[in-house]
Structure formats: C-alpha cells, structure tokens
C-alpha cells in the first residue's frame, strides 16, 4: 500500500506541524505503507520523507523538471520520478497511490487534496481521502464544506466520505475500514440531479 501525502513546502509557524509530519512518516514506514509525495527536500514534505526513510520506508517523489532544476528535489529517495508538468505530477502521484492524505499545508496542498476528494465524488477513483487534523488546522476548511453541504451544494455522502484523524494510527485504522460512498445508478431511488462541486 502507498499513500499520496500532500503537505507544505514550508514548516509553518506551529512546531506541532513538523512533529506530526515526522510521526506520520515514521508510522507509515513501520506499517509498511509507502509514501508518494511531491519529491521536495524542504518544509513539512521533507520532514515526512526523511522520517519515513529513516524508519526504512519506501518514499517515491514525483516532481516536474523545473523544480528539479531549482534544486528543490530530495536526493535520497527510494525513487524520484521526473515529469514535465504539474498536471503530470498529480496524475503520476494518483496512479501510484492507494489513498490520499493532507497534512497541514498551503494553497497547493488544498488544491491537491480537494482534487482527490472531487475525483472520489465523480467516481474517477474509489480510494480513501483523509485529513490529518493537527492542532485543528483543517477544522475551518472542513467547517466550510459542512456549510456548503447545508446550502445544498455538496451531497452529505460526499462530505462524509473523507476521513478526519488526529494521528497516523487513527487515520490508517479508519482507512482500512473505509468504504467508498454509494454512487446512484439509473433507476436507483428518486430521480434527482447530481450535486457537483
């Protein structure tokens, strides 16, 4: 099993973020779960990669050539796959992953985990999507999704399809028991138009 891990290229202002990233990378490696990530050596993403590697885990990076040229690539990975574009990076990570997890991060992290969540909604994949909610970091964003659902723009089953956990052990246990949301088929229940993001 491998998880696509999305997180910041910076460390952030709260030391709990780096501590959680380190613990997460270590826990994945100890459970035999590979890490697929953006390939960088900096920030929280570098912390996850270093911790997983130090614990003997598999870590695969996927990075556009432009970022490799900027010397952002981690040089000690199990494998570094160099691609041309950010779109190829995301597709490559998704192809390698059996699930998707967001640790604290910025706009890129939000974009990547929401794409994975949207793909789950649309049936592009049927893999678990989760948030490691370190120190309540993701709560405002998840509350916004709850408000979107209350407004009738996100189906409750899509809102509730993601896993929100406080640590790696909880997240992995819930991923192991996770089932994808039911996708209606023609003639399955009342005829209502789909609600999309």
């Amino acid at each position: 099993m491998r998880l696509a891990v999305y997180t910041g290229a910076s460390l952030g202002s709260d030391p709990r973020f780096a501590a959680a990233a380190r613990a997460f990378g270590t826990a994945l490696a100890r459970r035999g779960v590979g890490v697929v990530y953006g390939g960088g050596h900096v920030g929280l993403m570098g912390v996850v990669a270093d911790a997983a590697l130090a614990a003997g885990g598999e870590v695969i990076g996927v990075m556009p050539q432009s970022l490799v040229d900027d010397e952002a690539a981690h040089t000690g990975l199990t494998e570094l796959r160099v691609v041309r574009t950010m779109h190829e990076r995301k597709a490559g990570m998704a192809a390698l992953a059996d699930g998707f997890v967001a640790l604290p991060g910025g706009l890129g992290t939000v974009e990547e985990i929401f794409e994975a969540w949207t793909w789950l909604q649309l049936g592009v994949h049927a893999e678990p999507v989760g948030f490691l909610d370190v120190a309540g970091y993701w709560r405002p964003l998840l509350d916004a999704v709850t408000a979107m659902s209350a407004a009738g723009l996100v189906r409750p089953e899509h809102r509730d399809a993601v896993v929100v956990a406080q640590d790696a052990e909880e997240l992995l246990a819930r991923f192991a028991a996770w089932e994808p949301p039911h996708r209606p088929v023609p003639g399955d229940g009342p005829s209502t138009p789909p609600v999309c993001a």
Side-chain angles (χ1 to χ4, degrees):
M1 179 183 187
R2 294 176 180 140
L3 293 182
V5 178
Y6 305 120
T7 190
S10 299
L11 292 173
S13 59
D14 190 330
R16 290 176 291 183
F17 299 161
R22 189 173 301 108
F24 190 71
T26 300
L28 293 187
R30 289 180 177 167
R31 294 279 293 269
V33 178
V35 172
V36 179
Y37 84 119
H41 67 86
V42 296
L44 297 173
M45 68 167 65
V47 172
V48 171
D50 287 341
L53 290 166
E58 175 194 57
V59 182
I60 300 174
V62 184
M63 179 173 275
Q65 183 66 57
S66 60
L67 293 181
V68 174
D69 293 342
D70 289 341
E71 300 181 352
H74 195 302
T75 58
L77 303 177
T78 308
E79 181 181 355
L80 178 64
R81 299 189 180 191
V82 180
V83 296
R84 292 178 301 165
T85 68
M86 291 295 285
H87 291 294
E88 289 180 5
R89 174 199 237 180
K90 292 192 293 180
M93 289 178 65
L96 290 166
D98 302 299
F100 307 84
V101 183
L103 278 66
L107 296 178
T109 300
V110 171
E111 188 267 337
E112 289 167 324
I113 198 65
F114 267 73
E115 181 173 70
W117 195 350
T118 302
W119 286 357
L120 173 61
Q121 172 185 288
L122 297 175
V124 175
H125 68 77
E127 307 293 352
V129 175
F131 291 81
L132 198 72
D133 193 27
V134 181
Y137 181 79
W138 291 116
R139 183 48 49 198
L141 191 64
L142 296 170
D143 286 346
V145 175
T146 298
M148 294 161 67
S149 181
L153 295 171
V154 176
R155 288 187 185 277
E157 61 267 30
H158 297 147
R159 175 199 64 209
D160 297 337
V162 298
V163 170
V164 181
Q166 306 305 310
D167 57 46
E169 296 304 325
E170 179 190 1
L171 185 135
L172 291 173
R174 293 183 61 193
F175 268 26
W178 182 87
E179 294 184 5
H182 173 71
R183 288 187 56 76
V185 295
D188 183 15
S191 178
T192 56
V195 181
C196 296

